[in-house]
Amino acid sequence: AQSVTQLGSHVSVSEGALVLLRCNYSSSVPPYLFWYVQYPNQGLQLLLKYTTGATLVKGINGFEAEFKKSETSFHLTKPSAHMSDAAEYFCAVTGGISNFGNEKLTFGTGTRLTIIP
Amino acid sequence: GAVVSQHPSRVICKSGTSVKIECRSLDFQATTMFWYRQFPKQSLMLMATSNEGSKATYEQGVEKDKFLINHASLTLSTLTVTSAHPEDSSFYICSARMGGGNTIYFGEGSWLTVV
């Protein structure tokens, strides 16, 4: 079984400042990890994912995340926030290759990112 | 890139009626699609897994007779909310996995309001 914890339901940062959204997971098997972004009244857009290989993954819009197995974390970062980054961000986990073909995603509760001009 | 499309994006229906939401994979075949439900300001909760050519697998607590899922082709899954009630009002989102890949794509979502 898998679970995801996103610390901080709301995060506010100034435009140009570092964005850090926290995600910790629990999984009984090597996980696949995802970050999705949801803009108001829209579906989810994949930002980035970790499956295997390099633990630092880069995504769209300048976001990146690092898989740290020892810390069971997959925090999302962006060096410089932009006004257009304001949205809801969801971290999700699935049971990796052992769950291949049955990719039920377990989502965190989401973090609403607000950018302060 | 891969696109998953949902229709309608917004629908209002009267209490007691049924409404169908379509989920299409536009440029790839999806043997498996997933239906999620999202209440305002909450996370997504998986409702069911839709398998092409077979019965859907429902998550615990989801009424299969109320939320009918049909996956008649490799590019289309439908969710029908039967005898809708105001508490069924929610944001419904589908997702699909492309072929042998490990990326899951989401549709734009469908807002259902039952009045």
Side-chain angles (χ1 to χ4, degrees):
Chain A
Q2 291 80 37
S3 67
V4 175
T5 301
Q6 289 184 242
L7 294 177
S9 58
H10 291 85
V11 171
S12 296
V13 302
S14 298
E15 189 174 15
L18 171 71
V19 175
L20 170 61
L21 304 183
R22 299 179 184 276
C23 172
N24 287 89
Y25 70 91
S26 173
S27 178
S28 56
V29 297
Y32 287 177
L33 294 156
F34 305 80
W35 274 100
Y36 286 89
V37 59
Q38 184 179 33
Y39 296 100
N41 301 321
Q42 295 186 28
L44 276 72
Q45 181 180 2
L46 179 67
L47 276 179
L48 48 78
K49 63 178 179 178
Y50 168 78
T51 55
T52 57
T55 56
L56 180 64
V57 292
K58 296 183 183 298
I60 62 172
N61 302 337
F63 285 94
E64 63 181 36
E66 185 171 11
F67 170 62
K68 292 187 176 180
K69 183 178 179 181
S70 62
E71 298 178 7
T72 60
S73 68
F74 191 57
H75 302 328
L76 180 71
T77 62
K78 181 174 181 177
S80 178
H82 191 273
M83 294 300 294
S84 61
D85 294 328
E88 187 88 18
Y89 292 80
F90 291 96
C91 181
V93 63
T94 188
I97 195 169
S98 65
N99 201 38
F100 198 70
N102 186 29
E103 295 77 15
K104 297 194 295 185
L105 286 173
T106 299
F107 284 86
T109 50
T111 298
R112 181 168 297 278
L113 177 64
T114 300
I115 309 300
I116 303 168
Chain B
V3 176
V4 175
S5 177
Q6 279 186 242
H7 177 79
S9 58
R10 291 181 178 273
V11 58
I12 301 173
C13 71
K14 291 184 177 180
S15 184
T17 64
S18 297
V19 60
K20 180 184 291 186
I21 301 170
E22 295 184 346
C23 177
R24 293 181 184 273
S25 56
L26 296 184
D27 54 1
F28 66 98
Q29 294 183 331
T31 54
T32 304
M33 291 184 175
F34 303 87
W35 286 96
Y36 292 83
R37 181 175 182 177
Q38 183 182 31
F39 291 101
K41 300 183 179 181
Q42 295 187 28
S43 189
L44 287 79
M45 299 299 295
L46 180 66
M47 298 175 66
T49 303
S50 172
N51 303 296
E52 188 268 336
S54 65
K55 293 182 178 180
T57 303
Y58 290 82
E59 295 300 299
Q60 189 174 7
V62 178
E63 299 176 62
K64 62 180 181 180
D65 294 330
K66 180 171 185 60
F67 298 100
L68 300 179
I69 291 174
N70 182 275
H71 196 152
S73 76
L74 287 171
T75 59
L76 174 64
S77 175
T78 60
L79 168 67
T80 301
V81 183
T82 63
S83 187
H85 291 281
E87 57 264 33
D88 298 326
S89 299
S90 188
F91 191 51
Y92 293 87
I93 308 178
C94 70
S95 68
R97 179 175 69 89
M98 182 198 313
N102 53 28
T103 297
I104 302 167
Y105 297 93
F106 281 83
E108 311 97 325
S110 300
W111 280 105
L112 170 62
T113 302
V114 184
V115 297

